[in-house]
Amino acid sequence: KMVDPTLAEMGKNLNEAMKMLEDNQRKVEEENEKKYARKDIPGPLQGSGQDMVSILQLVQNLMHGEEEEETSQAYRLQNVGEQGHMALLGHSLAAYISVLDRERLRKLTTRILSDTTLWLCRLFRYENGSAYYHEDDREGLLKICRLVIHTRYEDYTVEGFNVLYAKQPVIYISSAARTGLGQALCSQLGLPLSCMCRVPCNTMFGSQHQMDVALLDRLIKDDVESGKLPLLLVANAGTPGAGHTDKLGRLKELCEQYNMWLHVEGVNLATLALGYVSSSVLAATKCDSMTLTLGSWLGLPAVPAVTLYRHEDPSLVTGLTSSQPVEKLRALPLWLSLQYLGHNGIVERIKHASQLSQRLLENLKNLDFIKTSVEDELSSPVVVFKFFQEYSNRDQTSHAAQASTIQHPIISNERHIYDTFNQWLGEQLAQLVPASGVDVVELDDEGTCVRFSPLMTSAVLGTEIQDVDQLVDCLKMKIPVLTSTLQLREEFEQEVRRTVGLLYMEDLSWPGLGVVRYSYHNDAKNDDKQEKELEKINTELLKKLNELESDLTFSLGPEFGGQKNCVYIGMVNEDLDVSELVETIAATGREIEENSRLLENMTEVVRKGIQEAQLQLQKANEERLLEEGLLRQIPVVGSVLNWFSPFQASPKGRTFNLTAGSLESTESTYLSKAQGTGTTPPPTPTSSLARQRLPGQKIFKRSLRSSDAFSETSSVSHCDDLEKMDKKPPLLSPGQGPLETEKTEEQKEVAQATKTDTEDTQSDKLPHSCTKVEDQESQR
């Protein structure tokens, strides 16, 4: 078949350009040049121009220059795929087609629009529908609102806002809708915020993310009685947070009763393309309009969103239809991509995302301390879960009574702690398994949760079944850490409050064991100086703790919003010895404080010591003059006198002891011919529990409490000692008599009796060496 040379060249250039932009293997010279290049400062436009390769190289540097560490962005670019190239080709073709003559352009755009609309209506079970293609996913709903206003207000085209003022329209939106949707609609339509009514979700029965239909009915009746006009209802087939679907069947009946327009949006609308569709989502096919975001569902970059709607005579002024052929070319990227994927390819992608959700949901049901929030477990493509542990140390009755009344501070603190822990869990899972696409979501009733929505991420990230399995494995590893940290937080708080010199700082937003501060109190200092000393000591304390060989993480806390001059302790395991940890922190803090005080007082001590040394030297000189006499001080006479009668004087010296801060005599140095060490400095304060660790055991770990392991270790060591005693007979010293020999024989009998008792009790656990000792004893 013959192909237009221009189209062929366009496809070739696009292919080469995408390969160049997606190539992340840059040379070292380019990286070095990039470090010193002022790429952020715009330069002058070159007069001679640049070739395509140079321009694309510049675009590549701008794309990847500041995102070397953000592997997720590079990963997204690498997984655009050929279907993404088709969508990008559509934008180039739209610019090329726009230069055709008017008649050919009209025929081409009509064919593209009719084909794409027919395919989408059949694919998503929306019969006899029209389509509007738009870049912003909220623009479709905005055009629908204008269409409904023109339909319900006959004189709106002539009177304008006067008819709206006479009978105020009301748009109803669920409280679980995406943030800012109502404000955006009112701003674009020129309506006051009083025209927007947020409908609460169920509080007593059903899902807490579904719109309360009974309450909506009462709100509509109140608005009708007050002279307002119920205009439109925005429902969800998959809420932005938890992926729940409203009761669309009952909402449609309510809209027909009050002559309202029903618009539906949400990620669950993608499941309409599957063979099996739940009844709650299938009811969306009877609504008046729906918005589809095919770009994220199918992994197609830069394709427009589609709003399908039914209306007898859509007016041109609403913007849903346009007479401009160029605007009709918005559907061209989607038209190319749908043909490239085909019906089976589209269904397979959506089906794969649903299977990933079901795979994760099935694994989460078997995990303890994991709570899921899924409305329809059979077909929901969104999985929301959180870490949650039942209260075991508190009376459930009193807990329920407190929950039924005003929110208790303790319960509020516990929810805040769980939100912090789940925030940490979501960040850890997203970091460990980036291909899963999990993120953290805030829900009004559930708090902080982890969300897995493969329909929005799997097509771009290339998520597979093994990625879900890896996600479950990582979750299994994090659950014991979360449970042990949550259980040891209270014990850590009590230990810190009982320890002198430590202050427990409550920070509910810190995901870890807790926050501690070493207190430094000195009444002689002002507050500023004491604050500086406190910062110095706690900074040095953090440095000392990080130097220890432990599995704990010590830090200064979050960059913003954390407590100052504190040590933040991260997540811990169940074998943590909290008492040893607290004792070590206190002992290390005391050591740092003593060293700080020693350095602080050193200047004053040295100054006083020098003054005292000067006085003693002056006194020593006076005593020497008295002992030698006046004649020995005369230069000539003194020399002759010392020649005939030498003067023997004992050397007297002084040494300054920095530890004691005093002058000491050097007489002992001259007598022993060696310099003494003086006063022995006090030992470094350490934890007494740290000295009881077994060989190879890290600090802050509990000792082995298994009796079997203890008895086995003692039996092996005891048998080894017996074997050494048998191999090495006792040696008699030159002066040793019969009494010492008899005593040695008695020790052998005691050892033999001990060995026999050990063999009776630990016969199953003795090693081969102990059996050898028993054979030797029997031969003797």
Side-chain angles (χ1 to χ4, degrees), residues 595-627:
N595 294 336
S596 177
R597 289 180 178 177
L598 177 62
L599 294 176
E600 182 182 353
N601 299 329
M602 185 65 67
T603 304
E604 184 68 20
V605 171
V606 171
R607 186 181 63 82
K608 292 182 179 180
I610 292 175
Q611 293 178 356
E612 184 179 354
Q614 291 176 349
L615 295 176
Q616 292 191 11
L617 289 175
Q618 183 179 0
K619 184 178 180 181
N621 291 331
E622 294 176 357
E623 293 178 354
R624 184 173 60 83
L625 290 175
L626 293 176
E627 292 179 359

mmCIF file of all heavy atoms in Angstrom, residues 595-627:
data_model
loop_
_atom_site.group_PDB
_atom_site.id
_atom_site.type_symbol
_atom_site.label_atom_id
_atom_site.label_comp_id
_atom_site.label_asym_id
_atom_site.label_seq_id
_atom_site.Cartn_x
_atom_site.Cartn_y
_atom_site.Cartn_z
ATOM 1 N N ASN A 595 31.519 15.579 81.313
ATOM 2 C CA ASN A 595 32.625 16.051 80.485
ATOM 3 C C ASN A 595 32.450 17.512 80.114
ATOM 4 O O ASN A 595 33.427 18.276 80.044
ATOM 5 C CB ASN A 595 32.735 15.202 79.219
ATOM 6 C CG ASN A 595 33.117 13.763 79.514
ATOM 7 O OD1 ASN A 595 33.713 13.474 80.558
ATOM 8 N ND2 ASN A 595 32.783 12.854 78.619
ATOM 9 N N SER A 596 31.224 17.910 79.892
ATOM 10 C CA SER A 596 30.960 19.307 79.557
ATOM 11 C C SER A 596 31.275 20.213 80.731
ATOM 12 O O SER A 596 31.866 21.284 80.564
ATOM 13 C CB SER A 596 29.505 19.474 79.124
ATOM 14 O OG SER A 596 29.211 20.824 78.868
ATOM 15 N N ARG A 597 30.873 19.776 81.928
ATOM 16 C CA ARG A 597 31.184 20.584 83.109
ATOM 17 C C ARG A 597 32.684 20.627 83.375
ATOM 18 O O ARG A 597 33.218 21.652 83.820
ATOM 19 C CB ARG A 597 30.457 20.021 84.320
ATOM 20 C CG ARG A 597 28.949 20.237 84.281
ATOM 21 C CD ARG A 597 28.286 19.661 85.496
ATOM 22 N NE ARG A 597 26.842 19.907 85.475
ATOM 23 C CZ ARG A 597 25.993 19.466 86.403
ATOM 24 N NH1 ARG A 597 26.460 18.743 87.421
ATOM 25 N NH2 ARG A 597 24.711 19.736 86.308
ATOM 26 N N LEU A 598 33.396 19.502 83.123
ATOM 27 C CA LEU A 598 34.842 19.481 83.333
ATOM 28 C C LEU A 598 35.543 20.480 82.414
ATOM 29 O O LEU A 598 36.415 21.240 82.841
ATOM 30 C CB LEU A 598 35.378 18.076 83.088
ATOM 31 C CG LEU A 598 36.894 17.893 83.206
ATOM 32 C CD1 LEU A 598 37.349 18.212 84.621
ATOM 33 C CD2 LEU A 598 37.293 16.474 82.827
ATOM 34 N N LEU A 599 35.146 20.500 81.160
ATOM 35 C CA LEU A 599 35.739 21.455 80.230
ATOM 36 C C LEU A 599 35.356 22.890 80.577
ATOM 37 O O LEU A 599 36.152 23.815 80.387
ATOM 38 C CB LEU A 599 35.294 21.125 78.801
ATOM 39 C CG LEU A 599 35.789 19.792 78.232
ATOM 40 C CD1 LEU A 599 35.205 19.557 76.860
ATOM 41 C CD2 LEU A 599 37.310 19.758 78.166
ATOM 42 N N GLU A 600 34.160 23.046 81.077
ATOM 43 C CA GLU A 600 33.694 24.390 81.422
ATOM 44 C C GLU A 600 34.467 24.952 82.602
ATOM 45 O O GLU A 600 34.786 26.140 82.653
ATOM 46 C CB GLU A 600 32.199 24.332 81.741
ATOM 47 C CG GLU A 600 31.593 25.683 82.079
ATOM 48 C CD GLU A 600 30.131 25.565 82.423
ATOM 49 O OE1 GLU A 600 29.590 24.457 82.267
ATOM 50 O OE2 GLU A 600 29.535 26.562 82.845
ATOM 51 N N ASN A 601 34.775 24.103 83.587
ATOM 52 C CA ASN A 601 35.483 24.563 84.786
ATOM 53 C C ASN A 601 36.996 24.517 84.639
ATOM 54 O O ASN A 601 37.713 24.899 85.565
ATOM 55 C CB ASN A 601 35.073 23.712 85.990
ATOM 56 C CG ASN A 601 33.587 23.823 86.277
ATOM 57 O OD1 ASN A 601 32.996 24.868 86.020
ATOM 58 N ND2 ASN A 601 32.999 22.757 86.804
ATOM 59 N N MET A 602 37.503 24.010 83.510
ATOM 60 C CA MET A 602 38.939 23.832 83.358
ATOM 61 C C MET A 602 39.672 25.165 83.390
ATOM 62 O O MET A 602 40.725 25.298 84.012
ATOM 63 C CB MET A 602 39.225 23.108 82.040
ATOM 64 C CG MET A 602 40.690 22.756 81.847
ATOM 65 S SD MET A 602 41.236 21.568 83.076
ATOM 66 C CE MET A 602 40.272 20.149 82.585
ATOM 67 N N THR A 603 39.123 26.190 82.752
ATOM 68 C CA THR A 603 39.793 27.486 82.711
ATOM 69 C C THR A 603 39.940 28.083 84.095
ATOM 70 O O THR A 603 41.017 28.575 84.481
ATOM 71 C CB THR A 603 38.993 28.437 81.808
ATOM 72 O OG1 THR A 603 38.856 27.838 80.516
ATOM 73 C CG2 THR A 603 39.695 29.776 81.682
ATOM 74 N N GLU A 604 38.871 28.024 84.878
ATOM 75 C CA GLU A 604 38.926 28.574 86.226
ATOM 76 C C GLU A 604 39.869 27.782 87.118
ATOM 77 O O GLU A 604 40.625 28.352 87.923
ATOM 78 C CB GLU A 604 37.519 28.596 86.819
ATOM 79 C CG GLU A 604 37.412 29.234 88.193
ATOM 80 C CD GLU A 604 37.692 30.740 88.127
ATOM 81 O OE1 GLU A 604 37.593 31.319 87.034
ATOM 82 O OE2 GLU A 604 37.994 31.315 89.182
ATOM 83 N N VAL A 605 39.849 26.457 86.967
ATOM 84 C CA VAL A 605 40.724 25.619 87.787
ATOM 85 C C VAL A 605 42.186 25.877 87.462
ATOM 86 O O VAL A 605 43.049 25.992 88.353
ATOM 87 C CB VAL A 605 40.366 24.131 87.580
ATOM 88 C CG1 VAL A 605 41.396 23.229 88.252
ATOM 89 C CG2 VAL A 605 38.985 23.836 88.117
ATOM 90 N N VAL A 606 42.518 25.972 86.177
ATOM 91 C CA VAL A 606 43.907 26.228 85.779
ATOM 92 C C VAL A 606 44.366 27.604 86.262
ATOM 93 O O VAL A 606 45.505 27.777 86.733
ATOM 94 C CB VAL A 606 44.041 26.091 84.256
ATOM 95 C CG1 VAL A 606 45.416 26.559 83.788
ATOM 96 C CG2 VAL A 606 43.819 24.655 83.832
ATOM 97 N N ARG A 607 43.501 28.580 86.166
ATOM 98 C CA ARG A 607 43.872 29.926 86.615
ATOM 99 C C ARG A 607 44.175 29.952 88.104
ATOM 100 O O ARG A 607 45.193 30.512 88.552
ATOM 101 C CB ARG A 607 42.738 30.907 86.291
ATOM 102 C CG ARG A 607 43.076 32.368 86.580
ATOM 103 C CD ARG A 607 41.887 33.253 86.251
ATOM 104 N NE ARG A 607 40.753 32.937 87.102
ATOM 105 C CZ ARG A 607 40.604 33.407 88.350
ATOM 106 N NH1 ARG A 607 41.512 34.213 88.875
ATOM 107 N NH2 ARG A 607 39.547 33.080 89.061
ATOM 108 N N LYS A 608 43.311 29.314 88.900
ATOM 109 C CA LYS A 608 43.570 29.272 90.339
ATOM 110 C C LYS A 608 44.826 28.455 90.659
ATOM 111 O O LYS A 608 45.585 28.780 91.574
ATOM 112 C CB LYS A 608 42.362 28.675 91.054
ATOM 113 C CG LYS A 608 41.127 29.569 91.015
ATOM 114 C CD LYS A 608 39.978 28.933 91.778
ATOM 115 C CE LYS A 608 38.755 29.843 91.759
ATOM 116 N NZ LYS A 608 37.602 29.242 92.493
ATOM 117 N N GLY A 609 45.032 27.362 89.879
ATOM 118 C CA GLY A 609 46.232 26.551 90.118
ATOM 119 C C GLY A 609 47.507 27.307 89.810
ATOM 120 O O GLY A 609 48.519 27.158 90.525
ATOM 121 N N ILE A 610 47.487 28.128 88.770
ATOM 122 C CA ILE A 610 48.671 28.921 88.436
ATOM 123 C C ILE A 610 48.957 29.950 89.523
ATOM 124 O O ILE A 610 50.118 30.176 89.921
ATOM 125 C CB ILE A 610 48.476 29.589 87.071
ATOM 126 C CG1 ILE A 610 48.474 28.530 85.963
ATOM 127 C CG2 ILE A 610 49.572 30.616 86.800
ATOM 128 C CD1 ILE A 610 48.159 29.079 84.605
ATOM 129 N N GLN A 611 47.929 30.575 90.050
ATOM 130 C CA GLN A 611 48.133 31.539 91.134
ATOM 131 C C GLN A 611 48.703 30.866 92.372
ATOM 132 O O GLN A 611 49.624 31.396 93.021
ATOM 133 C CB GLN A 611 46.799 32.224 91.466
ATOM 134 C CG GLN A 611 46.268 33.116 90.347
ATOM 135 C CD GLN A 611 44.924 33.733 90.694
ATOM 136 O OE1 GLN A 611 44.350 33.429 91.756
ATOM 137 N NE2 GLN A 611 44.418 34.600 89.809
ATOM 138 N N GLU A 612 48.148 29.694 92.689
ATOM 139 C CA GLU A 612 48.656 28.974 93.852
ATOM 140 C C GLU A 612 50.094 28.510 93.632
ATOM 141 O O GLU A 612 50.927 28.536 94.542
ATOM 142 C CB GLU A 612 47.760 27.768 94.141
ATOM 143 C CG GLU A 612 48.160 27.016 95.401
ATOM 144 C CD GLU A 612 47.240 25.842 95.674
ATOM 145 O OE1 GLU A 612 46.241 25.704 94.933
ATOM 146 O OE2 GLU A 612 47.521 25.069 96.609
ATOM 147 N N ALA A 613 50.407 28.097 92.386
ATOM 148 C CA ALA A 613 51.784 27.677 92.087
ATOM 149 C C ALA A 613 52.754 28.835 92.226
ATOM 150 O O ALA A 613 53.891 28.675 92.717
ATOM 151 C CB ALA A 613 51.837 27.093 90.684
ATOM 152 N N GLN A 614 52.358 30.038 91.797
ATOM 153 C CA GLN A 614 53.229 31.200 91.946
ATOM 154 C C GLN A 614 53.488 31.505 93.407
ATOM 155 O O GLN A 614 54.631 31.828 93.791
ATOM 156 C CB GLN A 614 52.597 32.400 91.248
ATOM 157 C CG GLN A 614 52.560 32.284 89.730
ATOM 158 C CD GLN A 614 51.849 33.453 89.091
ATOM 159 O OE1 GLN A 614 51.204 34.251 89.780
ATOM 160 N NE2 GLN A 614 51.944 33.546 87.764
ATOM 161 N N LEU A 615 52.478 31.404 94.228
ATOM 162 C CA LEU A 615 52.675 31.651 95.659
ATOM 163 C C LEU A 615 53.596 30.612 96.274
ATOM 164 O O LEU A 615 54.479 30.941 97.096
ATOM 165 C CB LEU A 615 51.320 31.661 96.376
ATOM 166 C CG LEU A 615 50.359 32.800 95.996
ATOM 167 C CD1 LEU A 615 49.020 32.612 96.713
ATOM 168 C CD2 LEU A 615 50.963 34.151 96.338
ATOM 169 N N GLN A 616 53.407 29.357 95.915
ATOM 170 C CA GLN A 616 54.256 28.313 96.496
ATOM 171 C C GLN A 616 55.686 28.420 96.001
ATOM 172 O O GLN A 616 56.641 28.146 96.755
ATOM 173 C CB GLN A 616 53.675 26.944 96.168
ATOM 174 C CG GLN A 616 52.350 26.660 96.878
ATOM 175 C CD GLN A 616 51.937 25.212 96.752
ATOM 176 O OE1 GLN A 616 52.725 24.382 96.322
ATOM 177 N NE2 GLN A 616 50.694 24.928 97.157
ATOM 178 N N LEU A 617 55.894 28.804 94.746
ATOM 179 C CA LEU A 617 57.251 29.008 94.250
ATOM 180 C C LEU A 617 57.933 30.176 94.958
ATOM 181 O O LEU A 617 59.139 30.117 95.285
ATOM 182 C CB LEU A 617 57.218 29.259 92.741
ATOM 183 C CG LEU A 617 56.882 28.053 91.865
ATOM 184 C CD1 LEU A 617 56.766 28.471 90.401
ATOM 185 C CD2 LEU A 617 57.931 26.967 92.017
ATOM 186 N N GLN A 618 57.200 31.225 95.190
ATOM 187 C CA GLN A 618 57.764 32.357 95.923
ATOM 188 C C GLN A 618 58.131 31.950 97.346
ATOM 189 O O GLN A 618 59.197 32.325 97.873
ATOM 190 C CB GLN A 618 56.772 33.516 95.926
ATOM 191 C CG GLN A 618 57.300 34.775 96.603
ATOM 192 C CD GLN A 618 56.287 35.906 96.562
ATOM 193 O OE1 GLN A 618 55.191 35.725 96.021
ATOM 194 N NE2 GLN A 618 56.650 37.064 97.132
ATOM 195 N N LYS A 619 57.246 31.159 97.974
ATOM 196 C CA LYS A 619 57.527 30.680 99.326
ATOM 197 C C LYS A 619 58.718 29.731 99.341
ATOM 198 O O LYS A 619 59.562 29.758 100.262
ATOM 199 C CB LYS A 619 56.282 29.993 99.878
ATOM 200 C CG LYS A 619 56.431 29.539 101.319
ATOM 201 C CD LYS A 619 55.136 28.917 101.810
ATOM 202 C CE LYS A 619 55.272 28.449 103.264
ATOM 203 N NZ LYS A 619 54.009 27.817 103.740
ATOM 204 N N ALA A 620 58.812 28.878 98.288
ATOM 205 C CA ALA A 620 59.951 27.957 98.215
ATOM 206 C C ALA A 620 61.261 28.709 98.042
ATOM 207 O O ALA A 620 62.311 28.322 98.594
ATOM 208 C CB ALA A 620 59.741 26.979 97.073
ATOM 209 N N ASN A 621 61.261 29.803 97.268
ATOM 210 C CA ASN A 621 62.476 30.602 97.114
ATOM 211 C C ASN A 621 62.895 31.244 98.425
ATOM 212 O O ASN A 621 64.097 31.313 98.759
ATOM 213 C CB ASN A 621 62.251 31.680 96.050
ATOM 214 C CG ASN A 621 62.131 31.089 94.659
ATOM 215 O OD1 ASN A 621 62.716 30.034 94.394
ATOM 216 N ND2 ASN A 621 61.382 31.754 93.787
ATOM 217 N N GLU A 622 61.941 31.723 99.189
ATOM 218 C CA GLU A 622 62.274 32.312 100.491
ATOM 219 C C GLU A 622 62.859 31.267 101.433
ATOM 220 O O GLU A 622 63.841 31.537 102.172
ATOM 221 C CB GLU A 622 61.028 32.943 101.104
ATOM 222 C CG GLU A 622 60.509 34.144 100.308
ATOM 223 C CD GLU A 622 59.210 34.680 100.888
ATOM 224 O OE1 GLU A 622 58.708 34.060 101.866
ATOM 225 O OE2 GLU A 622 58.688 35.695 100.386
ATOM 226 N N GLU A 623 62.290 30.063 101.442
ATOM 227 C CA GLU A 623 62.825 29.003 102.295
ATOM 228 C C GLU A 623 64.231 28.610 101.850
ATOM 229 O O GLU A 623 65.107 28.296 102.680
ATOM 230 C CB GLU A 623 61.894 27.796 102.263
ATOM 231 C CG GLU A 623 60.544 28.051 102.908
ATOM 232 C CD GLU A 623 59.638 26.840 102.804
ATOM 233 O OE1 GLU A 623 60.052 25.864 102.132
ATOM 234 O OE2 GLU A 623 58.511 26.872 103.371
ATOM 235 N N ARG A 624 64.495 28.592 100.530
ATOM 236 C CA ARG A 624 65.831 28.241 100.055
ATOM 237 C C ARG A 624 66.861 29.269 100.472
ATOM 238 O O ARG A 624 67.987 28.922 100.814
ATOM 239 C CB ARG A 624 65.781 28.112 98.532
ATOM 240 C CG ARG A 624 67.101 27.645 97.917
ATOM 241 C CD ARG A 624 66.914 27.391 96.428
ATOM 242 N NE ARG A 624 66.483 28.595 95.759
ATOM 243 C CZ ARG A 624 67.316 29.573 95.348
ATOM 244 N NH1 ARG A 624 68.606 29.465 95.556
ATOM 245 N NH2 ARG A 624 66.829 30.624 94.722
ATOM 246 N N LEU A 625 66.462 30.548 100.472
ATOM 247 C CA LEU A 625 67.382 31.584 100.918
ATOM 248 C C LEU A 625 67.744 31.415 102.389
ATOM 249 O O LEU A 625 68.899 31.621 102.795
ATOM 250 C CB LEU A 625 66.772 32.966 100.679
ATOM 251 C CG LEU A 625 66.638 33.409 99.223
ATOM 252 C CD1 LEU A 625 65.914 34.745 99.141
ATOM 253 C CD2 LEU A 625 68.003 33.507 98.564
ATOM 254 N N LEU A 626 66.741 31.029 103.181
ATOM 255 C CA LEU A 626 67.011 30.840 104.597
ATOM 256 C C LEU A 626 67.920 29.640 104.828
ATOM 257 O O LEU A 626 68.792 29.645 105.713
ATOM 258 C CB LEU A 626 65.705 30.671 105.362
ATOM 259 C CG LEU A 626 64.777 31.915 105.420
ATOM 260 C CD1 LEU A 626 63.473 31.560 106.130
ATOM 261 C CD2 LEU A 626 65.467 33.081 106.102
ATOM 262 N N GLU A 627 67.742 28.584 104.060
ATOM 263 C CA GLU A 627 68.555 27.390 104.240
ATOM 264 C C GLU A 627 69.999 27.609 103.757
ATOM 265 O O GLU A 627 70.957 27.177 104.405
ATOM 266 C CB GLU A 627 67.934 26.205 103.499
ATOM 267 C CG GLU A 627 66.625 25.745 104.099
ATOM 268 C CD GLU A 627 66.029 24.582 103.328
ATOM 269 O OE1 GLU A 627 66.657 24.181 102.309
ATOM 270 O OE2 GLU A 627 64.953 24.101 103.694
#
